[in-house]
Amino acid sequence: MDNVRFPMRLTVAGSQVFAAGSDGSVVAVDADTGRELWRASAGAPLSAGIGSDGRHAAVVTSGNQLVVLDQGREAWRRTLPSRVLTAPLVAGERVFVLRVDRTVQAFDALDGRPLWTVARPGEALTLAQSGVIAPLGDLLLVGQGSRLVALEPLRGNARWEVAVATPRGTNEVERLADLVGPPTRIGKTVCARAFQTAVGCVDGERGTLLWSRPSSGSQPLGGDAELLIGADANGRLTAWRTPSGDVAWTDSSLLYREPGGVLLAGAVAVVGDLEGQVHFVARESGRALLRLPTDGTPVVGAPVLAGQTIVVATRGGGLFGFRP
């Protein structure tokens, strides 16, 4: 996989991990063995990471082309009207795309037929980072600014929407509070970070805000039914109690190491840093347990869990699997 320069997100489907490089290369890997299952090219540099349901894989090029592969072979491509930085979502034989202008589009995964488009007017300034687009039961969740919106995936009708944060500031930059993806889904609860503003959890069944707490930071959260963990703008790790939002602990051992997204896996939380180190910390206290190297380039995105293997991607284009 070539160097990664866009907002990276690994995608897991069963025991397969899907990744993409900035040069347009796309690869599927067996997470248990690291064996390459197939490799393909989008034919152009990419602006966003990859989404897959195990069969279809979707990426977006820097020329705004949505490219869909079927088991590594190109099935179709469509030109989009604006830029995309968030990895597409592939689910239910549909491909969903969140554009930087906060517009959501749905396509038929088999033939690329456009199904519906939902546009949301808003501020001219949007976040140049991966946003929120994820399934929750029979709903499609999207982040539109600081609001989490639940759409019906068949027609795009809105079921509910709720603000995770309240943007504040004297100018558009200070008021930028777009939701950062991917979100953390815990049953019917969805938790996410609003850029440099807050972290919060939403009841996905009722469409109500459970809690929101002030927090600077730009990296996605990791969590489960008990704890939600994320790094702030300085690299400090904080754990909030998922049901209430109360702070369980903070740890400063990764200050200024630019930790990325967090994965909770059993008794440990896993996070990579700017030097390519992968840190394993105790989930109950934040105490450092283990640190393992990769290729010396920054770990990008959040680690993912595929079966019993933790997989991380690096800026240098490497994929690394760990068994904790």
Side-chain angles (χ1 to χ4, degrees):
M1 190 174 66
D2 186 41
N3 290 353
V4 179
R5 301 182 185 89
F6 51 79
M8 179 62 179
R9 177 183 174 185
L10 296 172
T11 298
V12 175
S15 63
Q16 299 179 66
V17 175
F18 299 85
S22 296
D23 66 342
S25 59
V26 183
V27 63
V29 173
D30 185 305
D32 293 330
T33 64
R35 179 174 62 90
E36 187 177 297
L37 301 174
W38 55 259
R39 178 178 291 268
S41 174
L46 301 182
S47 65
I50 187 170
S52 179
D53 61 359
R55 173 184 172 183
H56 293 98
V59 294
V60 181
T61 72
S62 57
N64 302 336
Q65 284 198 320
L66 171 63
V67 181
V68 172
L69 306 170
D70 186 344
Q71 297 291 344
R73 296 187 179 90
E74 184 173 324
W76 52 269
R77 65 175 63 209
R78 293 286 182 272
T79 300
L80 305 173
S82 64
R83 194 179 181 202
V84 173
L85 294 175
T86 302
L89 171 68
V90 185
E93 295 192 344
R94 286 171 168 79
V95 180
F96 302 98
V97 176
L98 176 64
R99 299 177 353 211
V100 294
D101 61 4
R102 300 190 176 106
T103 296
V104 186
Q105 288 183 268
F107 300 86
D108 188 296
L110 299 178
D111 58 17
R113 176 169 49 95
L115 300 176
W116 51 260
T117 299
V118 173
R120 183 186 184 94
E123 302 84 358
L125 188 63
T126 57
L127 184 64
Q129 186 170 331
S130 181
V132 168
I133 183 165
L136 182 71
D138 63 345
L139 296 175
L140 173 69
L141 301 180
V142 295
Q144 294 186 316
S146 61
R147 306 184 74 82
L148 186 65
V149 182
L151 302 176
E152 296 175 355
L154 294 181
R155 297 179 179 84
N157 299 326
R159 184 84 60 87
W160 53 257
E161 64 175 72
V162 60
V164 176
T166 302
R168 292 186 174 89
T170 58
N171 56 59
E172 288 185 347
V173 174
E174 292 177 346
R175 289 193 296 270
L176 190 63
D178 286 22
L179 299 183
V180 174
T184 298
R185 291 167 294 159
I186 308 146
K188 293 294 185 179
T189 299
V190 184
C191 303
R193 178 187 293 282
F195 178 75
Q196 299 290 23
T197 306
V199 299
C201 290
V202 171
D203 184 324
E205 196 166 42
R206 298 180 176 87
T208 56
L209 182 67
L210 296 174
W211 57 264
S212 178
R213 300 288 182 267
S215 174
S216 67
S218 60
Q219 296 295 333
L221 309 168
D224 56 23
E226 297 177 357
L227 292 176
L228 189 69
I229 302 176
D232 68 16
N234 293 322
R236 180 183 295 103
L237 292 180
T238 299
W240 297 268
R241 300 196 186 281
T242 304
S244 65
D246 296 335
V247 173
W249 54 259
T250 61
D251 182 80
S252 300
S253 60
L254 298 183
L255 280 180
Y256 313 117
R257 296 185 66 91
E258 298 181 18
V262 177
L263 168 71
L264 258 66
V268 299
V270 187
V271 60
D273 70 15
L274 81 168
E275 295 180 351
Q277 300 287 334
V278 180
H279 302 265
F280 296 77
V281 304
R283 56 166 289 149
E284 298 298 335
S285 65
R287 178 174 58 89
L289 301 174
L290 181 66
R291 184 174 70 181
L292 298 173
T294 54
D295 58 10
T297 63
V299 173
V300 291
V304 296
L305 181 64
Q308 300 298 314
T309 305
I310 293 171
V311 182
V312 302
T314 67
R315 185 77 65 195
L319 290 178
F320 295 83
F322 302 92
R323 295 276 173 78

